Amino acid sequence: MSYHPRQEQHALLSHLLEQAGIDADIKSLEVSDLNDGGMGSFAIGKNYADRSLGRQVSECYFQDEDGTVVSATLNTDSKGELYELDVWRVDFRPLHSWPNANRIRDGAYRVVGADRLPVIAVASRLTECSASIYMFI
């Protein structure tokens, strides 16, 4: 079921759109929740299942209410159209709250000591660890 982004989603979506240099009217976008266990990811536009991922155009992170790191990426499809906002809590639990603008940080987070390993591979093994082990860059 599609809807227009909710007010609490605006700050994150606006930040990522600005970072990507994409001018879009957030209130007129059609989005639909993705089945990600409640972490907050959503498809942008129509016919999501018939389109394919193109590339990541912007990335940021924030800490959820409980201090858990959350990564957010804005992706376009293979034709360069807005495709999805991918939200990932490092502990794979549901998102507690959408961030306001002052909680959002540009770039990706890094796991301390994981500079030679893919971040997602390391983080997936640390699902029960405290957010204090993360170093933000």
Side-chain angles (χ1 to χ4, degrees), residues 2-11 13 17 25-32 42-44 85:
S2 67
Y3 60 92
H4 297 292
R6 295 183 297 273
Q7 186 62 40
E8 62 267 19
Q9 296 169 319
H10 283 209
L13 187 53
L17 286 166
D25 179 13
I26 293 174
K27 293 178 182 179
S28 69
L29 293 176
E30 285 190 37
V31 302
S32 53
F42 56 80
I44 303 172
L85 174 62

Side-chain angles (χ1 to χ4, degrees), residues 35 38 42 46-47 60 62 66-67 73 75 81-82 88 97-98 103 114 116-117 123 135:
N35 185 13
F42 56 80
K46 297 180 181 184
N47 304 317
C60 67
F62 60 94
D66 64 356
T73 58
N75 299 312
E81 299 295 323
L82 289 174
W88 178 62
S97 69
W98 292 93
R103 287 176 38 207
R116 291 184 178 84
L117 298 173
M135 173 177 61

Side-chain angles (χ1 to χ4, degrees), residues 13-86:
L13 187 53
S14 177
H15 182 90
L16 289 167
L17 286 166
E18 182 179 331
Q19 187 184 70
I22 297 173
D23 184 27
D25 179 13
I26 293 174
K27 293 178 182 179
S28 69
L29 293 176
E30 285 190 37
V31 302
S32 53
D33 294 330
L34 294 175
N35 185 13
D36 69 351
M39 289 186 278
S41 300
F42 56 80
I44 303 172
K46 297 180 181 184
N47 304 317
Y48 179 80
D50 297 329
R51 298 158 53 207
S52 61
L53 177 64
R55 68 183 188 94
Q56 177 181 306
V57 294
S58 58
E59 179 176 32
C60 67
Y61 65 92
F62 60 94
Q63 287 185 307
D64 206 348
E65 286 180 351
D66 64 356
T68 302
V69 175
V70 181
S71 171
T73 58
L74 183 64
N75 299 312
T76 56
D77 66 15
S78 58
K79 295 181 181 178
E81 299 295 323
L82 289 174
Y83 183 64
E84 67 184 3
L85 174 62
D86 186 20

